[in-house]
């Protein structure tokens, strides 16, 4: 989604074809453009759902079929745009709205309209963090995704890269960066909340037709990719998030060289940190990089919290319609409400780096369970009436030490994987 107005971004970066003279030049550009100083309050939501054939859950609908279905969708009431992920997952990207409640209401309306349109075409949209049934397979023919496949294979992460691109789905939350003097605390808290919120929202116990041994197989898949591209951004103390992001981006290897004039995206199959390209130690495409190349490089970095003038929070599994509003409201409240943020910072201090443990055993970890109870309770105490039902369900689950993955696992054990997926695709809760 475009969280900031496009014109504002263009005005801030009017000369993207300017050649970079050094890594220091690139670092300065990143630091100047990664976060916008201003108030908090706007919320943008993105929801990804796996697309299934209602009569044959093993069949992966094709690119043309999915796009023909999207073309027949009337304008969405909440203003979301619709895109298709490499494996055919369908994403709704909502516009930035003032506060979580309007953003949630708009996304709920768009989800309902999209589900109805896909159902008419014999397709269902399933909110799970990972495809529990089908093997990884790309259906999006875009040159970027073809090149990404080549890069992952060359870097010996081909299986994890394919699963990440074609078998995982998330709910992404986009928030204002806030006032500059609060960036460090805000970015630290966004990271510290990661393990706790992963444990709360874990919803991918199966991957490719078998139990994965993780509550969030999605998070496990991401952890198997290069940490220089997908690991957390924070430096030693997190006191300067702009510098941390610049350091992270310059150390990360270049994945793709984009040449829009030739309509080409070329994979880079050797390890070339962007700093080496910027300093001229390595030439890619027989040239030094421009600011446009740096902007594109930043889109190929996938940390759990990514600065894009605003904050992209990327660590949540896609979760059912009954609870994703509560999950979204909880995370926004814990970051945007000052009192709730203080509660969250204290509650998550002891589990702020427990990413793998959260993904594997979720709320089965006592410390994560305690942090989750405090965080979800703080959000529930501030929730409006229209979110009461969803919040109560989330609170009950957390108090019982359960996450959506447990509910889906129970369904699979009772009915089998394919029937369980079909039930979800048909809208059965």
């Amino acid at each position: 989604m475009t969280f900031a107005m496009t014109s504002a971004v263009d005005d801030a970066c009017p000369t993207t074809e300017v050649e970079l003279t050094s890594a220091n030049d690139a670092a300065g550009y990143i630091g100047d453009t990664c976060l916008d100083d201003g108030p908090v309050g706007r919320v943008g939501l993105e929801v990804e759902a796996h697309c299934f054939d209602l009569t044959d859950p093993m069949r992966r609908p094709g690119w043309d079929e999915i796009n023909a279905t999207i073309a027949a969708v009337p304008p969405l009431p909440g203003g979301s745009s619709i895109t298709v992920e490499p494996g055919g997952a369908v994403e709704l990207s909502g516009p930035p709205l003032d506060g979580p409640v309007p953003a949630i209401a708009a996304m709920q309306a768009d989800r309902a309209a999209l589900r109805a349109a896909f159902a008419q075409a014999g397709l269902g949209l399933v909110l799970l963090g990972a495809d529990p049934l089908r093997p990884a397979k790309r259906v999006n023919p875009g040159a970027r995704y073809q090149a990404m496949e080549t890069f992952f294979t060359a870097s010996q992460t081909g299986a994890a890269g394919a699963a990440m691109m074609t078998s995982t789905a998330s709910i992404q939350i986009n928030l204002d960066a806030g006032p500059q003097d609060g960036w460090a605390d805000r970015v630290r808290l966004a990271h510290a909340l990661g393990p706790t919120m992963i444990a709360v929202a874990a919803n991918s116990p199966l991957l490719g037709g078998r139990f994965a041994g993780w509550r969030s197989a999605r998070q496990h898949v991401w952890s198997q990719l290069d940490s220089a591209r997908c690991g957390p951004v924070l430096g030693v103390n997190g006191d300067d998030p702009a510098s941390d992001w610049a350091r992270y981006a310059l150390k990360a290897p270049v994945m793709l060289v984009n040449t829009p004039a030739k309509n080409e995206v070329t994979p880079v199959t050797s390890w070339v940190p962007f700093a080496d390209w910027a300093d001229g130690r390595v030439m890619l495409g027989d040239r030094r990089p421009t600011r446009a190349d740096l902007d594109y490089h930043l889109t190929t970095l996938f940390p759990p919290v990514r600065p894009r003038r605003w904050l992209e929070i990327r660590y949540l599994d896609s979760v059912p319609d009954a609870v994703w509003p509560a999950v979204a409201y909880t995370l926004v409240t814990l970051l945007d409400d000052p009192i709730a943020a203080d509660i969250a910072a204290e509650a998550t201090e002891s589990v702020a780096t427990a990413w793998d443990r959260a993904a594997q055993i979720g709320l089965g970890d006592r410390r994560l369970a305690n942090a989750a109870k405090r965080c979800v309770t703080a959000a529930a105490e501030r929730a409006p009436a229209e979110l009461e039902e969803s919040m109560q369900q989330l609170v009950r689950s957390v108090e019982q030490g359960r996450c959506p993955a447990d509910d889906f696992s129970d369904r699979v054990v009772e009915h089998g994987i394919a029937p369980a997926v079909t039930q979800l695709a048909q809208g059965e809760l």
Side-chain angles (χ1 to χ4, degrees):
M1 70 170 280
T2 302
F3 192 77
M5 294 300 292
T6 302
S7 60
V9 175
D10 292 342
D11 289 344
C13 312
T15 55
T16 56
E17 291 303 327
V18 172
E19 186 177 273
L20 296 169
T21 59
S22 66
N24 284 338
D25 184 17
Y29 175 73
I30 296 170
D32 289 343
T33 59
C34 69
L35 295 172
D36 280 343
D37 183 15
V40 301
R42 293 181 304 162
V43 178
L45 300 178
E46 301 182 27
V47 177
E48 296 174 346
H50 301 283
C51 184
F52 284 92
D53 185 321
L54 293 176
T55 60
D56 181 5
M58 280 300 299
R59 186 180 78 85
R60 188 182 292 270
W63 175 252
D64 291 340
E65 180 182 2
I66 294 171
N67 278 281
T69 304
I70 292 172
V73 176
L76 295 176
S80 294
S81 61
I82 309 171
T83 53
V84 183
E85 295 299 301
V90 179
E91 179 180 69
L92 284 175
S93 298
L97 297 174
D98 290 332
V101 176
I104 290 167
M107 182 57 68
Q108 286 175 314
D110 289 352
R111 276 275 305 154
L114 191 69
R115 285 199 315 270
F118 269 67
Q120 287 185 345
L123 301 175
L125 298 174
V126 175
L127 297 175
L128 283 167
D131 189 328
L133 191 60
R134 303 170 299 194
K137 181 181 178 181
R138 178 173 57 84
V139 300
N140 188 323
R144 172 183 169 98
Y145 300 120
Q146 295 179 43
M148 287 176 68
E149 282 183 345
T150 302
F151 172 87
F152 285 128
T153 299
S155 62
Q156 300 183 354
T157 57
M164 179 274 284
M165 288 197 297
T166 70
S167 298
T168 64
S170 70
I171 291 178
Q172 182 173 301
I173 298 177
N174 302 300
L175 301 175
D176 288 310
Q180 184 170 354
D181 60 5
W183 284 352
D185 288 341
R186 187 164 172 78
V187 173
R188 272 196 297 262
L189 181 56
H191 282 82
L193 279 164
T196 297
M197 293 304 299
I198 286 170
V200 167
N203 191 34
S204 46
L206 290 90
L207 179 66
R210 64 182 64 185
F211 279 96
W214 294 71
R215 295 295 204 288
S216 177
R218 173 186 175 274
Q219 181 66 23
H220 180 49
V221 165
W222 282 90
S223 72
Q224 293 176 297
L225 297 170
D226 174 25
S227 62
R229 166 166 271 102
C230 300
V233 172
L234 284 186
V236 175
N237 53 32
D239 286 342
D240 186 352
S243 294
D244 287 344
W245 179 229
R247 203 161 29 243
Y248 182 102
L250 293 174
K251 287 182 179 179
V254 181
M255 174 184 272
L256 311 170
V257 176
N258 186 34
T259 311
K262 297 182 179 180
N263 196 30
E264 292 179 352
V265 182
T266 306
V268 179
T269 56
S270 57
W271 186 277
V272 181
F274 193 92
D276 287 359
W277 190 17
D279 278 334
R281 288 190 287 269
V282 178
M283 292 292 180
L284 298 176
D286 298 321
R287 60 179 177 80
R288 294 175 75 108
T290 65
R291 288 183 178 179
D293 291 311
L294 178 52
D295 288 336
Y296 193 80
H297 172 65
L298 296 178
T299 72
T300 70
L301 307 182
F302 311 111
V305 179
R306 181 165 67 173
R308 294 196 64 190
R309 297 189 175 274
W310 61 92
L311 295 181
E312 280 186 353
I313 299 175
R314 307 168 50 87
Y315 45 64
L316 296 172
D317 278 7
S318 191
V319 293
D321 281 309
V323 293
W324 74 251
V327 170
Y329 180 83
T330 295
L331 187 52
V332 174
T333 300
L334 295 176
L335 283 164
D336 282 5
D337 182 288
I339 297 175
D342 287 343
I343 294 170
E346 181 182 350
T348 60
E349 184 176 5
S350 67
V351 291
T353 60
W355 298 90
D356 285 348
R357 191 160 181 80
Q360 186 165 27
I361 67 173
L363 298 178
D365 179 273
R366 178 181 54 82
R367 294 185 305 161
L368 284 164
N370 288 338
K373 290 174 186 175
R374 292 188 63 190
C375 287
V376 171
T377 298
E381 290 172 349
R382 292 160 173 79
E386 53 264 52
L387 292 177
E388 183 177 359
E389 183 176 352
S390 184
M391 284 302 310
Q392 285 182 348
Q393 181 165 334
L394 184 63
V395 169
R396 284 195 302 270
S397 294
V398 170
E399 288 177 345
Q400 294 167 3
R402 292 177 63 85
C403 60
D406 298 313
D407 296 333
F408 183 65
S409 296
D410 289 348
R411 187 187 289 262
V412 167
V413 169
E414 182 177 356
H415 300 286
I417 304 175
V421 169
T422 298
Q423 290 169 7
L424 295 183
Q426 293 173 340
E428 298 179 24
L429 301 179

